[in-house]
Amino acid sequence: MPRPLRLLLLILLWTILLGGGFVFYWLQDANGLKPSLEGIIEAQTGIPVQVDGALGWRLWPPVSLSAESVSASYQGQLWSIERLELDIGVSSLLRDPESWHVQALTLEGVEMREAGGLLEVHTLTVQDFRRGRPALVNTRLVYTAEAQPPLPMNLWGNLNYDPQTSVMQLDATRFDTDLAAGVCDLTLSPDPASPAAPPAGPEDLLPLGLLLGYSGSGSCLLDRLDLDGERFSGVDLTLQNKAGRSSARVSFPQFFKGSAVLQLDINANEAPVLWTLTPELSNVDSQRLVAWMDQDLEWLAPLAYGGTFRFEGNSEAELVASMSGETRFDGGEGSINIATIKQQILSLATLLREEDRINGWPDVWEYQRFVGDWRIDRQHHLLNLALDNLSVEADGDYLPETDQIDLVAELTFSNDSQFPVFDVNPLLFDLPIPVRCQGQRADPSCSIDREAAQQIVATALQSGEAGGLRSKLERKIEEEVPAEYQDAARSLLDIFSRSAESEPRED
């Protein structure tokens, strides 16, 4: 071998050996890098961390630095990491640690505990990590809220994080849980001017620290959404949050043969937190919807429904107690079971000796009109509906803490020939029939309110209007009572009128 070539090879060999020996000596002192590693993580995430375990190197490609027992405390959240591993580009090893090229990051055994919840990350891997460029993320995690079943999730996609602005982006990121699966895009950035969030409570529904501390927007297309045994597909979700004001819009293109849109707006700047929910249903199969809601009602119709609900607070109990709003529905043309209504009218029909007339009604009524509206003011409720020629006005209270209702409904039959007419005694047309319902919401006890009925009858008998009850009875007397007994019949009518008015109320 020519001497110059041999000298060149010797120089290269010594350079490799000396360089390798220097790197090996430097890499042996891995624990001396703890302060640098803690500083890098805090600089990149804004979260101060502490490395309690040992640091170690793996020298074969890729060169990796591992850390055991990493912990952090941040905004009421307690983080712990069993193992952290960084794959570092060999060409950047001799630079300052803050200039290392981290090719991949792997976390194992991650736990985040906060009031009301536990997040467990079994594994998280970030590959092709370069500052300012998208990185591939793959993770398996489980979130368990207090008193709720665990929610496992698999997530993989593209993550882009800018350490200078702390803006995080998830692009074309797919997730899969027991409840839903789909693809999302999300942008999240810190809001330094946001007010401090109140301390989190165990019953909180919303993470106020996140809503107040970050602004962001995103959208998801869900391949599937499983809710109470029903699967929905093609669901579109859009999210927006800025300075504690959030909105979420969920669109169901296929919802029980119709469509549905839910709009939720939240103002976390207010104390208590303000919620506004706006549902809109169009051409929905009412029978399938009622069955899905586990309600015992036979109702077949194309349903349209809409309105606005308002709530206050950040726990389920607060939301239920503060509910207010107004809704409307239109059942189009269809059929509905009226057995409950028949039962209430029968008690009145017995007094009139016309049970056969009411028993002749079908249990399932084929209707042409079924519309109504519902107004809520916390525990107080007002309901108005019309089923063909029958109108119902209900007024009363519902106590969510005991699930008890106490309301009075007035049923009124009109003689309107444009709709199917319930067969009742003509004396009952336009006369409100009071029904009182009390007890458990799912199975209340309802009956004719005799006290209210007496007052209504007394007023109707005293009315001199041409269409009033007294006028109808007087016409009946003229038509059906022999002339020699008509005066006596009218005297009895006067006596009944006065007695109905003066009937003492029961305590």
Side-chain angles (χ1 to χ4, degrees):
M1 176 182 295
R3 182 179 177 82
L5 180 58
R6 186 173 61 178
L7 290 175
L8 178 60
L9 291 175
L10 288 173
I11 292 172
L12 291 174
L13 177 62
W14 279 106
T15 300
I16 293 172
L17 292 176
L18 287 174
F22 172 74
V23 171
F24 179 74
Y25 172 79
W26 185 68
L27 294 182
Q28 287 184 91
D29 192 20
N31 287 297
L33 296 173
K34 279 187 180 181
S36 296
L37 181 60
E38 292 172 347
I40 291 172
I41 296 175
E42 182 173 358
Q44 296 291 327
T45 65
I47 301 176
V49 302
Q50 180 176 337
V51 180
D52 299 313
L55 270 64
W57 287 100
R58 185 182 66 189
L59 298 181
W60 55 87
V63 175
S64 298
L65 174 65
S66 63
E68 309 286 340
S69 300
V70 181
S71 60
S73 177
Y74 181 70
Q75 292 186 351
Q77 300 172 343
L78 298 177
W79 291 83
S80 64
I81 303 173
E82 290 182 0
R83 188 170 185 275
L84 177 153
E85 184 173 301
L86 300 173
D87 292 350
I88 303 168
V90 176
S91 61
S92 66
L93 271 174
L94 298 179
R95 304 176 194 164
D96 183 90
E98 294 187 4
S99 300
W100 283 349
H101 173 209
V102 179
Q103 295 176 327
L105 166 67
T106 301
L107 302 178
E108 297 177 354
V110 179
E111 286 191 355
M112 186 280 289
R113 296 181 180 273
E114 62 179 354
L118 169 64
L119 174 66
E120 300 172 278
V121 182
H122 296 301
T123 180
L124 184 148
T125 303
V126 183
Q127 297 177 325
D128 299 331
F129 185 84
R130 298 192 181 188
R131 184 174 297 183
R133 296 184 182 181
L136 296 176
V137 178
N138 194 337
T139 184
R140 293 189 300 111
L141 54 88
V142 177
Y143 182 75
T144 305
E146 186 172 320
Q148 298 293 327
L151 177 63
M153 175 184 293
N154 295 327
L155 185 146
W156 59 98
N158 297 308
L159 169 67
N160 192 352
Y161 178 72
D162 186 342
Q164 294 182 343
T165 62
S166 297
V167 174
M168 182 183 71
Q169 290 180 300
L170 288 173
D171 298 321
T173 300
R174 174 163 286 279
F175 73 95
D176 192 339
T177 72
D178 292 341
L179 297 178
V183 178
C184 295
D185 297 318
L186 177 67
T187 300
L188 196 65
S189 61
D191 191 348
S194 64
E203 297 181 352
D204 282 1
L205 297 174
L206 295 174
L208 297 184
L210 179 62
L211 292 181
L212 292 171
Y214 292 85
S215 294
S217 61
S219 63
C220 297
L221 181 61
L222 307 185
D223 304 328
R224 62 173 176 84
L225 176 60
D226 296 325
L227 298 174
D228 294 332
E230 191 73 27
R231 172 164 293 185
F232 305 96
S233 59
V235 178
D236 186 51
L237 169 65
T238 58
L239 303 167
Q240 186 80 30
N241 181 65
K242 185 172 180 61
R245 292 181 176 270
S246 304
S247 66
R249 181 181 176 86
V250 188
S251 178
F252 297 80
Q254 296 294 329
F255 189 80
F256 299 115
K257 297 184 179 180
S259 61
V261 176
L262 299 178
Q263 175 75 33
L264 177 63
D265 297 296
I266 298 173
N267 186 352
N269 292 288
E270 298 291 336
V273 179
L274 300 181
W275 306 58
T276 304
L277 176 64
T278 306
E280 292 288 342
L281 308 183
S282 178
N283 207 35
V284 170
D285 184 331
S286 61
Q287 188 64 51
R288 290 184 58 188
L289 176 64
V290 167
W292 180 59
M293 297 174 66
D294 197 24
Q295 298 297 306
D296 186 17
L297 175 64
E298 187 178 351
W299 180 21
L300 181 59
L303 174 64
Y305 177 85
T308 301
F309 294 99
R310 291 172 287 274
F311 309 87
E312 297 178 359
N314 196 23
S315 68
E316 183 177 349
E318 290 174 329
L319 297 189
V320 171
S322 65
M323 182 173 65
S324 64
E326 54 282 326
T327 66
R328 62 192 180 279
F329 74 89
D330 187 340
E333 296 185 11
S335 61
I336 188 169
N337 193 299
I338 60 169
T340 301
I341 296 177
K342 284 177 59 178
Q343 188 63 37
Q344 306 311 315
I345 303 299
L346 270 173
S347 60
L348 184 62
T350 301
L351 298 177
L352 299 175
R353 297 183 180 179
E354 293 192 345
E355 301 96 321
D356 292 343
R357 189 193 294 262
I358 306 303
N359 280 322
W361 296 0
D363 284 345
V364 177
W365 183 261
E366 301 289 337
Y367 66 83
Q368 294 182 10
R369 176 182 67 165
F370 188 28
V371 297
D373 61 77
W374 174 35
R375 295 184 294 278
I376 315 106
D377 184 8
R378 298 182 183 272
Q379 71 180 41
H380 194 68
H381 296 252
L382 295 172
L383 175 64
N384 294 276
L385 61 87
L387 178 62
D388 287 335
N389 75 315
L390 169 63
S391 63
V392 179
E393 294 186 6
D395 186 340
D397 294 331
Y398 166 63
L399 302 178
E401 60 271 18
T402 60
D403 201 33
Q404 296 277 325
I405 67 169
D406 183 359
L407 61 84
V408 174
E410 291 186 350
L411 286 62
T412 305
F413 294 93
S414 66
N415 192 14
D416 190 345
S417 59
Q418 67 174 318
F419 300 111
V421 176
F422 287 92
D423 184 18
V424 297
N425 190 306
L427 292 176
L428 295 181
F429 283 139
D430 302 320
L431 182 68
I433 302 170
V435 175
R436 186 162 193 172
C437 294
Q438 295 175 301
Q440 288 289 313
R441 174 181 55 87
D443 187 23
S445 175
C446 298
S447 61
I448 297 292
D449 189 319
R450 293 186 177 275
E451 180 178 308
Q454 289 172 356
Q455 293 298 113
I456 291 172
V457 170
T459 301
L461 287 174
Q462 292 176 347
S463 173
E465 297 179 2
L469 177 59
R470 185 181 183 92
S471 297
K472 293 179 181 179
L473 291 175
E474 287 180 342
R475 286 197 298 271
K476 283 285 185 181
I477 291 173
E478 292 178 356
E479 295 171 358
E480 300 181 10
V481 177
E484 61 269 24
Y485 299 114
Q486 288 184 3
D487 289 339
R490 292 189 182 95
S491 297
L492 289 174
L493 185 58
D494 289 335
I495 294 172
F496 180 75
S497 175
R498 289 192 297 270
S499 64
E501 182 187 29
S502 60
E503 183 75 23
R505 297 185 179 184
E506 297 179 1
D507 293 331

